[in-house]
Amino acid sequence: MNAGPAKSEQPDTGLLIEHLTQIEGLAESILADKQKLINLDRQRNKTREAIRILQKDKSSEKKWVCYGNMFIKMEKRKVSRLLDKDFDEIEKEMASTRSELKPKMSQLRDMEHEEDIQGFNLQPLSADELNSLKDLL
């Protein structure tokens, strides 16, 4: 008896394409976050340089500051406070981006059916934990 060609089990191509599209979208999001971190790091370094130059400058006169497309003459201490504030905001944004990046990386590894990286989700000790550890030792 000839029953005809045997049907082979093939995965649903629509589901496969959807899964690969999700993986690609998540990977693009991760790459965008990494590029954002690079840009923020450059901005942080420029701000750090400006703070150092301002600290080394011994004159107490007003300084020119560029805001957007305007130059404004401000007192040195006000410029220093603004730069410090900008630096802190950049640090917070970098920390926020890093904290968002870890779950995305974990989700991507899950979608690719790979094991989690050992130690990837480690958190630093808090000041209280560190003091308790010092007391024990």
Side-chain angles (χ1 to χ4, degrees), residues 53-64 73-80:
I53 288 171
L54 202 59
Q55 288 173 348
K56 286 183 178 182
D57 187 11
K58 301 299 179 191
S59 67
S60 61
E61 59 190 52
K62 294 184 176 187
K63 303 295 177 194
W64 286 100
K73 199 169 193 178
M74 299 176 74
E75 292 180 18
K76 183 179 172 181
R77 69 178 202 287
K78 287 184 181 179
V79 173
S80 180

Side-chain angles (χ1 to χ4, degrees), residues 10-21:
Q10 292 192 7
D12 187 10
T13 56
L15 290 175
L16 181 62
I17 290 173
E18 182 181 330
H19 182 70
L20 291 175
T21 303

